[in-house]
Amino acid sequence: MPSPQPSSDPFEIPRPAQVPAIELIGVRKVFRRRERAHGRFSPRRRVAALDGVSFRVERGETVAVLGQNGSGKSTLVRVLSTLLLPDGGTARVFGHDVLTQPAVVRRLVNRVSVEASFFKKMSAAENLSYAARFHGLTSGRTRAGIPEILERVGFPADRRSEPMENLSRGMQQKVALARALLTAPVLLLLDEPTTGLDPRSKREVQAFVKEMRAMHDATILLCTHDLDEAEALADRIGVLDRGRLLVLGTVDELNRRYGAQTLEVAFFAATGREFGEETDPDDDREVFA
Amino acid sequence: MSLHQPASGVAGDGRGRWSLRHELIGLSGVVERNLYLVKRYIWWDIAFFVWTVANTLSIVFIARGIEASGGTIDVNRAATSLLIGAVIWAYLGVIFEIMTETVAWERWEGTIEYTFMAPLSRSVHLFGMGAFALLYGMARALLLFAVCAFFFDLSIPDADFGAALVVLAVASVSFVGLGIVTAVLPLISPEKGSQLGFVAQGLLLVVSGVYYPVEVLPRWMQWLATVSPATYALDGIRDAILVGDPLTAMGDELWPLVVIGVVAVPVGLAVFRRGERYAKQHGKLKRSG
């Protein structure tokens, strides 16, 4: 693991070294959903998006959570981002409870998700500028800083003023990473950051994630269904299936546990399903999870 | 690199040194973002403004129409009264719409999750929207008044514009408060929320005496008029411009406006917080569109 530089904590929030970056204890999230086939007045049924998930991520560590669509990966990220309230259990970020201290947690977390989450008509520079203000940065700090950060992620200088909608997905994800870097998150939540990118953009984004981790005291939680990406970026890998965390360990530990030669075989052994297989009878799960 | 500076001290309360200054920078970020959006959607604004001019003119010409069809009417007074109604309603309507669309627009652009996980208190976020709405609404109303006045040879020698502006400013606070209440609707009902906001706006239009005295309304609607800030705003502004009443004679209008504002803003924030909690419990903060 690369040795991180000293903390550049933006808001001076206590993060004692002995406190894990992420700590989940029996986290549950259940959604209630009507059966589509039985009309709008049918009784609602419960769909567990997270079912007693417990794990810890140490400071400076990169952990990947593997799972198929609907496994609960995005729900997990949303709980840690304070966008969803868990129904049970405890979720803490650097010791701060997401339920009772959401404002503190929000200062420590940033997220890059599969959707770029930008105002489409606004330019990369404009999107970064207002986002920086949300994090308490003045225009004096961002005037020179935004062009530098965009240059760092390989964003062409002559396209800074172009509307985001004119940019490729790969380019938009670079801007999303630049935005995360701009606000110096100490916990970076990556929710399928390379899904839908071409191979070159994918490699660039992955290289940048490695660089972020090497240069900053950042902890990374990567949710993905890309086995190679998980193997390339993460120290440990967890398998999430139908809201339950089945296993969490290094690639070697996973392979040993399931007597597998590859991560794909280990995943199959853990879930009892092929990776990419869409056999989940609960088709509503994907709506939420 | 990031734009945050290394920590120089640690707050002992676990909440960090996020200060009022950071919140004000965040508030300026909300205004800045909306200004970028106006710039990027300028043709939408121009088209909407032209429509508003046409709508206002068609209402004010009614005064001349009555005279032309044989009715007895003080055309100057009626035209001025209708113009005040149309312009003030355009102003208050814009504030109401911007506040109501706080959530709807973010959902449509796909930025809702990013904004709601930003380290910005919700009250500052909403006050930022309110500040932008006041700036934008005022600029638009002044331009509308100037353009429409050009079509009519209005004579308002006794007008006390200072008193009218004070009444308008006080009324704006109430409208921001009511707007915050309706902003929660798209949060708890992504599909129907915005439409319900328009229903609330339409109700205010009918009962507030925008184009006619509230005395012509059925009694139950007159009761509704007493709780609408627009009723007092229009009364006060018409008295100031048509009769030349000074601010000292505006007690009957100003006190209700102050009371409604003092109640509406905290109630609006409380309702919004409850709505946000509901949305986070039920997974309704996701993007759509």
Side-chain angles (χ1 to χ4, degrees), chain B residues 61-111:
Chain B
F61 273 120
I62 289 172
R64 286 193 182 169
I66 290 172
E67 186 187 44
S69 56
T72 306
I73 189 173
D74 179 345
V75 175
N76 181 63
R77 188 179 174 86
T80 309
S81 181
L82 287 171
L83 181 59
I84 290 168
V87 170
I88 299 305
W89 181 251
Y91 170 71
L92 298 178
V94 159
I95 292 176
F96 208 72
E97 273 170 34
I98 288 174
M99 295 309 297
T100 304
E101 288 181 0
T102 298
V103 169
W105 200 335
E106 297 248 22
R107 204 185 283 285
W108 179 59
E109 289 273 10
T111 54

Side-chain angles (χ1 to χ4, degrees), chain A:
Chain A
M1 184 169 29
S3 57
Q5 287 186 349
S7 165
S8 61
D9 185 337
F11 310 117
E12 305 168 18
I13 298 167
R15 288 180 290 123
Q18 67 273 21
V19 172
I22 298 173
E23 185 177 26
L24 273 79
I25 305 167
V27 171
R28 289 184 293 107
K29 184 68 203 172
V30 174
F31 294 105
R32 295 174 72 229
R33 177 91 175 148
R34 287 191 201 286
E35 299 274 4
R36 284 183 209 152
H38 298 99
R40 60 185 302 162
F41 299 109
S42 62
R44 292 173 188 266
R45 67 190 173 90
R46 296 162 71 82
V47 181
L50 292 177
D51 190 2
V53 173
S54 302
F55 69 94
R56 283 165 66 116
V57 177
E58 302 304 328
R59 182 173 174 156
E61 198 181 14
T62 297
V63 168
V65 174
L66 278 174
Q68 305 203 55
N69 291 342
S71 61
K73 301 188 301 293
S74 294
T75 299
L76 177 63
V77 167
R78 286 189 172 98
V79 166
L80 290 169
S81 317
T82 75
L83 292 168
L84 267 181
L85 302 180
D87 295 326
T90 304
R92 295 193 193 101
V93 173
F94 291 102
H96 302 287
D97 194 296
V98 297
L99 207 57
T100 58
Q101 297 176 283
V104 183
V105 172
R106 281 187 216 126
R107 292 175 220 159
L108 297 166
V109 172
N110 210 323
R111 173 184 171 201
V112 176
S113 60
V114 62
E115 305 107 1
S117 298
F118 289 110
F119 280 89
K120 297 178 276 290
K121 293 276 182 203
M122 279 163 50
S123 69
E126 288 167 345
N127 271 291
L128 262 55
S129 180
Y130 90 78
R133 287 318 153 254
F134 282 10
H135 288 260
L137 294 168
T138 59
S139 57
R141 300 265 288 279
T142 55
R143 201 170 295 121
I146 287 173
E148 279 176 36
I149 283 175
L150 284 172
E151 192 182 340
R152 222 350 256 296
V153 298
F155 189 87
D158 59 347
R159 304 193 71 181
R160 274 183 216 143
S161 304
E162 237 179 88
M164 292 294 290
E165 64 186 2
N166 292 357
L167 305 177
S168 66
R169 279 229 39 235
M171 207 70 91
Q172 290 185 15
Q173 280 306 67
K174 284 183 182 178
V175 180
L177 287 166
R179 181 170 62 181
L181 182 58
L182 185 73
T183 59
V186 290
L187 173 61
L188 185 58
L189 304 170
L190 301 175
D191 187 7
E192 304 197 17
T194 60
T195 298
L197 298 189
D198 61 72
R200 186 182 161 194
S201 299
K202 202 170 185 171
R203 278 198 302 275
E204 285 175 347
V205 167
Q206 288 173 356
F208 189 69
V209 170
K210 284 181 184 171
E211 193 185 328
M212 274 189 85
R213 186 185 155 189
M215 296 195 64
H216 297 273
D217 183 18
T219 305
I220 297 174
L221 181 72
L222 167 69
C223 289
T224 182
H225 54 226
D226 186 324
L227 295 160
D228 294 335
E229 183 168 88
E231 205 165 346
L233 295 176
D235 302 310
R236 290 189 295 150
I237 293 172
V239 175
L240 193 65
D241 189 58
R242 293 173 181 152
R244 288 181 297 120
L245 187 68
L246 303 177
V247 65
L248 176 64
T250 63
V251 174
D252 287 343
E253 285 169 352
L254 262 62
N255 287 344
R256 258 202 312 276
R257 176 168 175 169
Y258 295 105
Q261 296 294 316
T262 65
L263 189 56
E264 185 171 0
V265 174
F267 179 88
F268 173 70
T271 62
R273 291 186 287 156
E274 292 282 3
F275 204 82
E277 185 186 344
E278 298 292 347
T279 54
D280 193 337
D282 187 0
D283 61 351
D284 283 341
R285 178 184 296 283
E286 198 175 332
V287 173
F288 305 112

